[in-house]
Amino acid sequence: MAVALPAGEQCWATHYGAQPAGALTSSGELYDNNADTAATSLSRQPQLPFGTLVKVTNVANGRSLVVRITDRGTFAQTPQEPKCLDLTDGAFDRLGGSLDPDAGHIVVTQQVGN
């Protein structure tokens, strides 16, 4: 069953990691691992349209940024593993996620804009 998260509910944000040069997102854009963009889970209902702006806040440190949805992830969001966004490495780092060593995920809240 697909899971929808109400605004303000906590979930996990992960990050893409290394991508091949010239990789395209599901929206057809050239992938930029330093951009403030993200993928949402294919299991999320309703799907967020490409171009949707989402304010993401790291619960641990209060850092926030706005990301634009450009991709769909194949990761599943479940009550046991509530993944909501897959961020670029740059966005993950700006929110305070640790890429080295890789912490895997950060706990965030999200607020969908327009």
Side-chain angles (χ1 to χ4, degrees):
M1 175 180 209
V3 179
L5 290 178
E9 187 169 324
Q10 294 181 2
C11 57
W12 294 358
T14 57
H15 67 96
Y16 280 81
Q19 296 293 311
L24 297 177
T25 65
S26 297
S27 66
E29 291 183 34
L30 187 62
Y31 177 75
D32 177 352
N33 203 24
N34 197 44
D36 287 336
T37 58
T40 61
S41 173
L42 289 172
S43 66
R44 181 182 183 139
Q45 294 300 326
Q47 285 288 303
L48 295 175
F50 295 132
T52 299
L53 300 177
V54 181
K55 181 180 180 184
V56 184
T57 303
N58 183 337
V59 172
N61 62 20
R63 290 186 196 170
S64 294
L65 61 83
V66 175
V67 297
R68 186 171 50 88
I69 301 301
T70 61
D71 208 357
R72 302 276 186 255
T74 57
F75 53 90
Q77 176 179 299
T78 67
Q80 298 78 26
E81 228 179 327
K83 295 179 187 172
C84 55
L85 296 169
D86 201 15
L87 302 165
T88 62
D89 288 2
F92 189 82
D93 181 57
R94 284 186 284 284
L95 283 170
S98 177
L99 298 171
D100 186 28
D102 187 348
H105 71 273
I106 55 176
V107 178
V108 301
T109 59
Q110 57 183 340
Q111 180 180 355
V112 177
N114 47 3

